[in-house]
Amino acid sequence: MLIEEFGQLPSCFITATDTDAGKTYMACEILKAWQKSGLSVAAFKPIASGGIYQDGHLVSEDALALATVTGQTPEQINPFVYEKPASPHIADVHGTFDLEVCLQHYQHLLQQHDRVLVEGVGGWCVPLSSELMLKELVAAVQLPVVMVVNIKLGCINHALLTAQQIKRDQQSMLGWVANRIDTEYADAQANIDTIAAHLNT
């Protein structure tokens, strides 16, 4: 998926091949593209770990970045944030995550805006609690998926396995985005071409 195509996307769920793959960066780019198309937009990151304290409140840095684009408050974007930088089911030491609360937040945003972008946490196969996986949240919001791939050594395997699992979980995948965080990686284009060849068949 090319960056100029972002403005044509419907509301979507953004996931990645692993943590720190650039979900939030790409989410901001999609939100900006929607805004350039004249659409009212909102971001929603239901759950985040590795939060920081700002003015005495624990907030997600991802939510702060998204808020700079949409004008929302971090709390409107991210209702569940945990301090420990770990998988949510580990970071949520008190078991506070509530899927129904997330859906209420999402439905409110959907009613108020033309487009809503929902950003996941970590990669695709992430437990949100002892009972819930990320895929169940995606199924509940009923959004098609955009996958972000961090182009680096090993990304072909990560991308193909993640895409395979998304499709196995019966989620609609709109497309994928190659994110070159390491601009010095010599085989970036070869990796992108290989992923595209396999995913576009």
Side-chain angles (χ1 to χ4, degrees):
M1 183 178 297
L2 301 175
I3 201 162
E4 55 264 27
E5 297 175 322
F6 287 177
Q8 303 167 24
L9 290 173
S11 292
C12 58
F13 186 97
I14 192 160
T15 191
T17 47
D18 54 11
T19 193
D20 294 328
K23 290 188 303 296
T24 303
Y25 172 78
M26 289 301 173
C28 288
E29 292 301 308
I30 293 171
L31 289 163
K32 290 173 188 175
W34 283 341
Q35 289 174 330
K36 286 181 181 177
S37 298
L39 299 170
S40 166
V41 307
F44 185 46
K45 187 176 177 77
I47 186 168
S49 56
I52 61 170
Y53 281 94
Q54 187 175 83
D55 299 326
H57 299 283
L58 188 64
V59 295
S60 161
E61 290 183 276
D62 291 345
L64 290 170
L66 294 165
T68 63
V69 178
T70 65
Q72 298 165 271
T73 66
E75 293 75 20
Q76 289 171 327
I77 293 172
N78 178 220
F80 295 95
V81 58
Y82 308 109
E83 184 175 5
K84 187 180 178 73
S87 179
H89 76 295
I90 298 171
D92 182 11
V93 293
H94 300 295
T96 60
F97 180 72
D98 189 321
L99 181 59
E100 288 304 315
V101 170
C102 285
L103 294 179
Q104 290 170 13
H105 278 260
Y106 169 67
Q107 288 298 330
H108 176 73
L109 293 173
L110 202 60
Q111 291 166 8
Q112 300 294 320
H113 300 278
D114 300 318
R115 294 284 189 279
V116 178
L117 185 142
V118 182
E119 182 185 329
V121 58
W124 181 257
C125 293
V126 172
L128 302 183
S129 69
S130 58
E131 295 86 22
L132 289 171
M133 297 291 289
L134 180 72
K135 66 179 182 180
E136 293 167 286
L137 170 62
V138 185
V141 296
Q142 298 181 323
L143 288 177
V145 176
V146 173
M147 178 181 68
V148 178
V149 180
N150 181 7
I151 302 301
K152 61 180 182 178
L153 184 64
C155 69
I156 296 172
N157 181 60
H158 293 164
L160 300 185
L161 285 176
T162 301
Q164 182 181 66
Q165 190 62 49
I166 290 170
K167 293 171 183 176
R168 184 176 293 165
D169 291 333
Q170 299 182 331
Q171 304 296 337
S172 171
M173 197 166 96
L174 280 175
W176 66 284
V177 181
N179 188 23
R180 291 190 60 182
I181 296 174
D182 180 3
T183 57
E184 302 300 317
Y185 179 47
D187 295 322
Q189 193 57 53
N191 279 259
I192 293 168
D193 292 344
T194 301
I195 295 168
H198 283 276
L199 293 186
N200 294 342
T201 56

